[in-house]
Every structure is written in structure tokens, then in C-alpha cells.
Amino acid sequence: MGELAVDKHVQYILSVEKRKDSFESVVMDHLRMNGAYWGLTTLDLLGKLDTVDADEVISWIMKCQHESGGFSGNIGHDPHILYTVSAVQVLALFNKLDVLDIDKVATYITGLQNEDGSFSGDIWGEVDTRFSYIAICCLSILRCLDRINVEKAVNYILSCKNLDGGFGCTPGGESHAGQIFCCVGALAITGSLHHVDKDLLGWWLCERQVKSGGLNGRPEKLPDVCYSWWVLTSLIMIDRVHWIDKEKLVKFILNCQDVENGGISDRPDDAVDVFHTYFGVAGLSLLEYPGLKAIDPAYALPVDVINRIFFSR
Amino acid sequence: MYRSSFFSFVFFFDFRGKQTKRQNSELEIEKMNENSLDEEGAMDLLNQLEAILESDPLIDEVGFIHPSQFVMLSKECCESSDSSEDGAFRPRDTKFWNRDHKLGISTEVLLPLCKAAKSAFMDVMKQYKTHSSLSDNKHEDENIMFGSLSCLSFESEVMKHSRALLLLSCDFGTAWNSRKLVVSKKQQMSMFMDELLLSALVLSYSPKSEQAWSHRRWIIKMIAGKYSTLQDIIANESELVEKIAERSKMNYRAWNHRCWLVSYMTRGQMLHEIKKSRDWAGLHVADNSCFHYRRRLMLGILENSFCKQEGDNSSYDVENYQVVKEELDLNEVLIKRYIGREALWLHRRYLSLCLIRHLTTMHGTCCHSEQKTSMDNEINKFLDNESCLLNSCSTIQDMEFEDFKAQAMYSAIYFLWLIKQIPQFREIELQVKLKAGNLKSILHKTCPERSFLWDFLDLNGF
Ligand SMILES: [Zn+2]
């Protein structure tokens, strides 16, 4: 198993950008903005963000912004809230939020709130609690959460709570660790966690840990590195993280590394990708693995970045 | 009915699923071959693909096939087919295969094809958008003369290229959006139905495509309220999910779609769906999503009766109770047949809570003491039943078998969970003498590592 192969992972992330001519990278092209967030946040957690040319990244990001204020996943694509949050997060990483017309971005997000408090992902109207989280997280980073109806947003999220204590995409949707992260994160940011039965939800979340030490996202599913993030953050936010075996989880994540070529996969021996590399490193950061920057479980950004936003000046 | 995927017998590259390291290196090799194709050759391939899609609008399944398998597939067809009309799109240089409304694409040409489709789509979108904004500013009569004619041809180009692109890159949101734009301008039922077909085609090779599922919901929202066929469409959607769930196990996106449909169902449809999905659930006891769907239907049925308070709601009460009771009985049968399945025990937590809530809220509304005693009896009967179940499941018949250990653990945790949510259960736990010892000792034996349970036991004086 060994230790975290920091240098290999840095090399891997830097190489992904250069490998533009594979089928995989062509079909992932439309979500390059998310990829930038995953890769760059990982580099920052590893203390290597300075290996990237910030100006180049920022000018590309700004080319993805639309008249509406929203961002697209790459130049020439349609805007969506999923890419807007990644753009804002990356700008926050580089301490460059001042290049944004904050009012314009906030107007875009505010415009996506529906009458019942829920949020659409874009003008085409798909509703999901993920979009509620993104809207709340994004506006909070931009320090204009008061632009939306927070009470209604919170009530909508609560309407997606199930009898098992978990949350789904829409009212009546199945509980899923990813959706739980979004809902608990949004409730944490808006100071509404008192609406959650912490023991009940914590119970369900802890039952996600399987024998190998890894976490799954739903009953009967295989463990997967990315759930280290969704489940762990939720447990931390509701103060129940002492209920799982952290040591075993660290081992599971380290076992999913490609120690030769860098990168982390969903399970041991699968092919690596940037997504799971980010969640693996972020999970280890939550588990206080030595040498990594601390990450904030609600905002999904390094703690020093969050402190800079909220406590500077 | 079980319907296996046509392409499941050939080696299938699932690009959006996880790949092993070996598959990845095979892809690297193909990549080198692909680079030999120039831009013109790629455009030619795209034209071929689009011609096939045009000529066979009923294609219902797409698969990506490795070159070695491709040769075999083509040979097999040449031997089995004697007519010449069959060969329409086969020869050339065998990059595509189309028969019986199935389409196979060689993995060899995926990269150049995808790039060509993307650039063709992006180009026509740019022109379409410029044209639309121009014609918005023009006078109406000019629009009729020039605008609308070329507008039509732009729109059909957008539809053509976006379709090819989505078959190769299913989560290309901008391509789905372009289709929504065109379709919402036309507002034709036949176009809406075509979109459902395209989405189903994409789902045939990428059953977890979030965009494809989301596109369906958008279409249904457009249709809802305008056409009388909505209830039929909802029934078809439900069937599609079941078909896809058969091949794509525990597919959250698919089942989430089915749960979403419930809000459009009538009470009768919900009852029918519960009946219809019963056998499927029994055959897929590890699929938590299917059980969640049944929970969603049950909650829909229970809620539905509260809305209609004014009328004769007592008949619903009996029917509702029956629905929950039957689901509990089915669940017990399955628990005893399939030893140690997590999803079954989690489902039971939900059902028990539902039943107790249902019985206690009925208490509140009825004033006849006769009915009250019968309800009390029902609750006591249920509590007795659960302690019997616990007793039989917590006895580990063979410590060697993981399944029995898991069964004992799940049954004990289930009971503990009930105690947490319904405090009356604590008294029963104290009264019942379990063969396997008390709850605490069962948990010690089966899952000493689950520290969240110990916190709970300590807090509750076990
Ligand atoms: Zn994953």
C-alpha cells in the first residue's frame, strides 16, 4: 500500500491537460470547467498550485462566461449552474474573485430559483437538490446569499428528506450519499442543520462503510473512492465522523492509487481519472492525512481559501 | 419479460463506465490507428452515419464494437442473409453495421467520428444562432421570403448533426439543448415523440446518461396538460425503466426517473404499478432502488387518501392499510428466502414505520372505541410478529456462513432502529427472551466494529 504518491499525482494531473487527443478527452470536453476545478483543487491540497499558469486559466474561464452571467463547461457550450460553481471555485482558489462582475453572476443564479424554493440547473428547467447546494454555495462565496429566498430554498431541501434520514434529488427521490452531501452542505451554509436528525442520518451514513474500509453511496453497492468525500463531509458536518473506522478508510483510498503513473481510481485496479483523484486526495485531507492542506467540508475548497474569503478585511 | 441487449454478446466498450487498466491500454493502441484518418475521411464517415440514421429512423439500439468482433459480426450476417437489400450499409469499409434496427459502430473510428460530429454541430449552431438573431431584427415580410426557408434548413441540419453527436457523446448538454430549442419552436406531438425515441436509443448504450434522462422529463413536462396521451406515456416510461434496469443493475438515474413519474400518476396507476413491480422486486432483492420505488408509490398512495378528506375516505383507509400490510408480508417472505440482504432489511425499517404511523394516525381520527381496540390489537399483533422474526433471524445457524452472520446482524440492527424511531419497541425487547441472547450480545458477535451502535446502546441503557 505505502504512502500517498504526491509527486506522481501532481504529474498525472498536469499530464491530463496535455492529452487532448483521446476519445475520452473529446467526450469529456464539455465539462472541462469541472475538470479544472477537480485538478486544480487537488494541486492546491498537495501544495502545488503554483505549477500552473494562473493567468492562462483565468482568461480561459472568462471566455466561458455568457451574457446571462452563467458559465459553460468550455468555450462555445451552453451555460449551466454546474459549471458556474466550478468557475467561481477556481477563481477563489487563485484569489481572483475580483475579476468577476459579481452582480451579474448572482443575477444568473438568482434567476434559477423557482417558486417552490428549488433551483433549476439552467434555462431548461431540470430541478435537483444538487442545484440548490450549488446556488447556495456559490452565492455564499460571492457574499450575496441574501439575493435568494433562503427560507424557501431550505424548505424545498427539507421536502426531499426521506424516512431513513437521507435526501434525494427531488421530493420522494431515493437517498444517495451524493445528494446527502448537497443537502447537508446547503443546510450547513445557511445555518439550518437543526432540521436534521443527526443520529438517524449518521446511522444511515455509517452503514455505508463496507468490510474493506471503503464507503459506498447506497445499500448493497460496491465501495468507491468518491464516496469518501460525499459520506465523510456529511458525517463531519453533522458531527458523527467518529462513528466510522477512519484508519481502514485511509488504507482503502491509498490502495486505489496508481503508484507508477499517478492518479487515483474508484476501486483498486480500476483505471484512474481526475474526478477520483480529487475525491481521494480530498478524502485524505478530511482524514487529516499528513502533508495535505485542510479542506472545508461544506464549500469543498481549502480552508485557507475559505478563511481568506470570509475573514479578510 | 426479460429482454437481453442485442449487443451484450459482443465485447462492449462502456466509455462512461469504469474501465480496467487493460482496457485503457487497448484504447491507446486504437488511438494511434485513428490518427491516420484525415479530416475529409472523418467527414465522410459522419455522412455515412447520418445517412444510416436517416434511412432507418427506428433504430432502437446502438453498440460500439471492437474491430475484431466487428469482422465476426459482418461475416455472420453475410452468411445468414441471402438477400441483397440487407447489405445496403454494410460493405464500404465495414465501420458501421445496421440490421434489424440495430446499429453497430466500430470503436476504430470513434475518435475521428466524434470530432467530425462535434465540429459539424458547433458550426451549424453558430450559423443558426446568427441567423435567428438576424431574422429577429428583420421585417416580417423579409422573413417570409428568405428567413423562414433557410431557417427550416438550419433547423434540420441542427437536428441531424446533434443526433449523430449524441450517439457518440451522450452527455453533450449543448446538443440536447439545441434539440429542445428547435422542438419547442415547433410544438408538434410527432417531434416530441421522436425525442423520446432518440433518448431511448442513447440510453440503450449509456443507461446512466443523466442528460438523456433529463431530456425525457423535459419532453414529458412539455406534453403534460396539452395532450390526452399523457397517462399512456407515463405507463410507457415506467416500462422503459424496467427494461433498462434489467441490464443496468442498481441504476440510480433510471429509478429516479421512475420515482419522478409517480407525481403524474393517478391513484389507480400507483396501485397498478405496485402490483406490476412486485415480481421484479422479488427477483432483484439487492436492488435498493426498486424497493425505494415501491416506497415512493406507497407514500403516494397514503398521501393521496389524505387529500380527499371530504368524501368517503374510510374505504381508502382499509385499502391503504392493505397495501402496507401486503408489502410487509412480501418483505418477510423475501427476508427468509434470501439470507442476509441489506436492502430487504432497510426496506422493512421503512415499512414498519409506515405501518405504525398509519395505525396511530387512524387512532386520532376515529372516535369509536370499538375501532380503537381493534387498532390496538393490530399494533400488538405487529409487535409480536416482529419479535418472532427477530428471534428466528438472529439465531446464527452456522457461524461459518457469512450470510447467516449478516442476517443476524441486520435483524438486530433493524430492531435497534425501530427502538430508536418507535420507543414502544424498547419494552418488547425487555420482555422477549431471544434464543440468541439479548440484542447487545448479538451485535457484539456480528459487528463489533460498528461504533455508532455502541453509542446508541450506551445512551439507551442497554
Ligand atoms: Zn466514484
Side-chain angles (χ1 to χ4, degrees), chain A residues 129 156-164 166-176 179 183, chain B residues 252 255-263 288-300 303 350:
Chain A
T129 45
Y156 180 77
I157 291 170
L158 294 174
S159 75
C160 299
K161 189 161 68 179
N162 289 314
L163 282 176
D164 56 20
F167 295 84
C169 302
T170 49
E174 184 187 356
S175 296
H176 180 292
Q179 305 293 145
C183 294
Chain B
Y252 186 78
W255 286 97
N256 190 54
H257 182 72
R258 208 172 184 184
C259 284
W260 177 84
L261 295 170
V262 176
S263 56
N288 188 60
S289 297
C290 177
F291 291 113
H292 184 81
Y293 177 58
R294 295 177 67 74
R295 296 194 277 270
R296 173 75 188 93
L297 287 167
M298 272 177 26
L299 290 180
E303 271 166 28
Y350 231 104

Side-chain angles (χ1 to χ4, degrees), chain A residues 224-227 266 275-276:
Chain A
D224 179 331
V225 160
C226 64
Y227 291 106
D266 59 349
F275 179 80
H276 288 94

Side-chain angles (χ1 to χ4, degrees), chain B residues 259-304:
Chain B
C259 284
W260 177 84
L261 295 170
V262 176
S263 56
Y264 287 90
M265 288 179 191
T266 60
R267 182 182 170 89
Q269 243 175 333
M270 290 189 253
L271 287 166
H272 176 69
E273 283 285 320
I274 282 237
K275 251 189 220 112
K276 230 183 61 181
S277 59
R278 190 185 157 98
D279 291 344
W280 203 93
L283 292 170
H284 302 81
V285 291
D287 206 322
N288 188 60
S289 297
C290 177
F291 291 113
H292 184 81
Y293 177 58
R294 295 177 67 74
R295 296 194 277 270
R296 173 75 188 93
L297 287 167
M298 272 177 26
L299 290 180
I301 291 165
L302 296 181
E303 271 166 28
N304 180 278

Side-chain angles (χ1 to χ4, degrees), chain B residues 115-130:
Chain B
K115 279 179 167 174
K118 191 190 150 189
S119 84
F121 168 74
M122 289 303 233
D123 281 351
V124 72
M125 255 334 258
K126 208 183 273 171
Q127 291 171 36
Y128 179 48
K129 275 184 183 160
T130 328

Side-chain angles (χ1 to χ4, degrees), chain A residues 82 130-131, chain B residues 171 208-215 217 253:
Chain A
L82 278 168
R130 282 182 301 162
F131 308 148
Chain B
D171 277 321
K208 290 181 179 168
S209 167
E210 196 190 324
Q211 294 281 349
W213 286 112
S214 166
H215 196 64
R217 285 190 284 278
R253 295 271 156 232

Side-chain angles (χ1 to χ4, degrees), chain B residues 174-186:
Chain B
T174 307
W176 287 111
N177 292 346
S178 72
R179 301 185 71 84
K180 293 191 183 88
L181 189 68
V182 172
V183 168
S184 58
K185 273 189 185 171
K186 305 276 157 167

